[in-house]
Amino acid sequence: MYNFDKIIDRSNTSAIKYEARERIFGSNDVVPLWVADMDFEVAPEIAEAIKERANHKVFGYTLRCSEYFDVTQKWIKNRYNWEVSKDHISFSPGVVSALAMALLAFTKPGDKVIVQSPVYFPFFSTIENNGRRVLNNQLLDKGDTYAMDFDKLDAQIDNQTTMMYLCNPHNPVGRAWRPDELEKLSEIAEKHNIIVVSDEIHADIIFSGHVHTPFASVSEYASQNTITCLAPSKTFNLAGLSTSMVVVENERMLKTYNYMIDSFHIGLTNPFGLEALKAAYTKGEPWLQELLVYLENNRDFVYNFVQEELPGVKAYMPDATFLMWLDFRELGLTRTQMRQLLVHEAKIGFSEVAIFRDGGEGFQRLNFGAPRSIIEKALYQLKDAMKK
Ligand SMILES: Cc1ncc(COP(=O)(O)O)c(C=O)c1O
C-alpha cells in the first residue's frame, strides 16, 4: 500500500545526509548511506496532521497535551509490553540531549561512565565534553554477532564509576539485547550501584524473531535506576522534529531530571513535532508494519550481496535498526586506502569507522533505510570498484 521504492529528491531541504557530503566526504558525488535517517516519505497520516496544523497559522509556545501522554503510554505498552505511568514520562528535545541531561543530573565531574564500543559516537563526546570519563567495556566480537563482556565489566567498575550508557538496540552492531542479557547487566549494575541511561531510540525497528526489551522492565533495580530514552524519530523518520521523551520510574530521579530540564528551559515542544508524534502513535502502525517488511528485505539483500559478491567483506546480520555493520579488515587497507576505495572509487558515503572507537577500526556502517534501487546502486558501485 505504501511506496517505499519512491525516490525522493531531498535537495534544497538542508538534509544533513545530502548537504554535509562535501564536508564529510570531500565530495557531493557519493551515495549517502551514512547518518541514521531514512530516505522514505513519512506516513501520509503524519504529513496530513502536520499540514492541518500548518493551516492553523499560529505557532506559539506549545505544551505536551494530555493526549500526548495517553498515546505515548499506549505505544510503550503495545509495542514493548511495558506498562509505565503517564506521570513517569518526561521530555527531551533529542535523545542525545537526554543523555547529556542525565549525565549532568546524576554524575559529577570526573566520574566514569560505562559505554560498550563500538557504539554510537555521541556517547563518547557527551561524556568527555562534560568533564566525565569514559570507561569502555568493548563488546565481544563473536564472528557473526556481538555480545556484552559481563566478566570484564564486573571487573572494571570501580568506585568512581557511577553511570552506564546502554544502547538497546545497539547501534552500530544491530543487537536487540535479549532479556537474559539485560537481566545479567542489571545484576552487575545493582552490585555496583550504577545508574543506567538506556538509549532505546531504535526500539521499534526490530526484525522477525527478535523483540525489544526495555532495560527498565527487567528487574526492580533497573526500574528504579534507569532513565529510558525513546522517540518516534527513527521509527517514523521524524528526526528533524524534536520528538524525544524519557521514562523515569524513580520519582526522586524524575524530579532531579525535570529540574535539569527546567534549568535549561527546554520543557516545551514544537507544534509540528507534537502533531507528528500523535499521528504516528495513533495512526502509524500499518505504515510501520510495511516499513519493517521493506527494511527486512533490504537487510537480507545487503547481507546476501556482501556475502556473495564482495569477497573479503563480512556483514553482521542485525536483529534491529536499519544499520548494517560491515567488516572490511580482511582487505588489509589503511584508513586512507579505504577512503580512496569507498569515497573516490565506489562513490559511497558510509559512516566512518573510527568514530565508533575501539572495535570500529576496519569497519563501516551502512544505512539501508532507503529505496532498494539506491542500495543496489551503491553496492554494485562497490563491487565494481573492488574488482578494479
Ligand atoms: C543510538 C542513537 N541514539 C541517539 C540518536 C540521535 O538521537 P537524537 O537525534 O534524538 O538526539 C541516534 C541517531 O542516529 C542513535 O542511533
Side-chain angles (χ1 to χ4, degrees):
M1 185 179 153
Y2 303 104
N3 184 4
F4 295 104
D5 285 326
K6 184 172 168 188
I7 304 287
I8 317 285
D9 179 2
R10 295 181 67 183
S11 50
N12 299 319
T13 62
S14 299
I16 190 170
K17 195 175 188 176
Y18 289 79
E19 302 301 324
R21 283 179 296 180
E22 183 71 46
R23 178 170 58 82
I24 307 250
F25 303 105
S27 162
N28 275 325
D29 187 21
V30 292
V31 185
L33 303 183
W34 62 292
V35 67
D37 74 19
M38 300 187 287
D39 286 324
F40 305 127
E41 280 182 349
V42 296
E45 295 81 2
I46 296 177
E48 221 23 72
I50 292 173
K51 273 190 231 157
E52 206 174 294
R53 184 66 186 83
N55 285 340
H56 182 259
K57 301 188 182 91
V58 182
F59 312 119
Y61 293 124
T62 305
L63 283 169
R64 287 168 175 88
C65 52
S66 65
E67 195 192 344
Y68 166 93
F69 293 96
D70 290 342
V71 303
T72 300
Q73 182 194 42
K74 278 201 191 105
W75 185 264
I76 292 172
K77 166 78 182 104
N78 293 342
R79 290 209 67 85
Y80 325 133
N81 196 23
W82 184 31
E83 292 202 41
V84 298
S85 157
K86 281 184 262 187
D87 296 338
H88 294 156
I89 300 171
S90 188
F91 327 115
S92 176
V95 164
V96 177
S97 33
L99 297 176
M101 281 185 290
L103 186 98
L104 295 176
F106 301 110
T107 67
K108 48 184 196 323
D111 279 6
K112 293 184 192 168
V113 179
I114 304 156
V115 301
Q116 303 192 100
S117 77
V119 73
Y120 180 58
F121 50 93
F123 279 25
F124 300 103
S125 51
T126 303
I127 296 166
E128 289 166 346
N129 294 352
N130 286 296
R132 276 66 170 171
R133 289 178 287 164
V134 168
L135 183 94
N136 189 19
N137 186 55
Q138 193 174 333
L139 293 175
L140 294 170
D141 181 351
K142 298 282 194 180
D144 56 353
T145 187
Y146 279 82
M148 294 190 218
D149 191 339
F150 294 115
D151 293 339
K152 198 172 90 208
L153 177 62
D154 191 26
Q156 280 197 91
I157 297 174
D158 58 17
N159 59 11
Q160 295 173 311
T161 314
T162 52
M163 179 171 275
M164 172 173 198
Y165 281 174
L166 172 66
C167 200
N168 176 37
H170 192 98
N171 167 7
V173 306
R175 280 297 319 280
W177 302 112
R178 292 186 314 268
D180 61 297
E181 293 171 300
L182 297 174
E183 281 159 21
K184 179 88 192 139
L185 188 64
S186 166
E187 280 168 25
I188 296 173
E190 182 167 9
K191 178 174 164 194
H192 298 280
N193 209 13
I194 302 290
I195 290 175
V196 176
V197 183
S198 190
D199 176 344
E200 305 192 1
I201 195 169
H202 294 278
D204 297 310
I205 312 286
I206 301 280
F207 300 118
S208 7
H210 303 278
V211 289
H212 173 66
T213 307
F215 176 71
S217 71
V218 301
S219 69
E220 182 56 24
Y221 178 84
S223 153
Q224 290 304 303
N225 291 278
T226 301
I227 295 106
T228 305
C229 308
L230 291 163
S233 53
K234 299 290 162 202
T235 320
F236 290 102
N237 213 20
L238 307 174
L241 287 181
S242 301
T243 52
S244 310
M245 74 233 15
V246 305
V247 178
V248 187
E249 292 184 293
N250 176 322
E251 308 261 340
R252 188 180 39 82
M253 283 174 62
L254 179 65
K255 246 189 178 165
T256 310
Y257 178 86
N258 284 340
Y259 179 81
M260 194 55 70
I261 293 263
D262 287 345
S263 67
F264 284 100
H265 206 73
I266 48 175
L268 297 174
T269 187
N270 77 74
F272 299 108
L274 177 65
E275 295 309 320
L277 179 142
K278 287 194 292 178
Y281 283 172
T282 52
K283 302 176 191 155
E285 187 80 37
W287 182 91
L288 175 56
Q289 291 309 335
E290 282 192 34
L291 171 79
L292 288 173
V293 173
Y294 193 89
L295 287 178
E296 193 157 326
N297 285 334
N298 270 5
R299 176 196 68 161
D300 294 347
F301 171 76
V302 174
Y303 184 84
N304 292 331
F305 190 98
V306 171
Q307 303 305 111
E308 287 158 20
E309 308 283 349
L310 303 180
V313 186
K314 188 174 76 176
Y316 290 72
M317 183 67 105
D319 317 331
T321 78
F322 45 78
L323 308 166
M324 180 86 70
W325 189 231
L326 300 175
D327 180 358
F328 282 78
R329 286 174 302 177
E330 213 183 301
L331 297 183
L333 302 177
T334 62
R335 210 182 279 181
T336 313
Q337 289 168 329
M338 183 100 98
R339 198 175 169 91
Q340 174 65 23
L341 170 70
L342 297 174
V343 174
H344 301 292
E345 290 160 26
K347 298 190 188 303
I348 304 182
F350 287 140
S351 283
E352 279 269 76
V353 288
I355 57 178
F356 299 101
R357 297 239 184 139
D358 299 354
E361 196 66 40
F363 288 79
Q364 299 284 332
R365 191 193 71 178
L366 178 155
N367 172 351
F368 57 85
R372 172 68 70 84
S373 58
I374 294 182
I375 306 292
E376 281 180 6
K377 177 176 171 354
L379 287 177
Y380 279 105
Q381 285 175 196
L382 180 54
K383 182 183 168 184
D384 288 347
M386 282 176 63
K387 254 196 206 150
K388 281 181 204 149

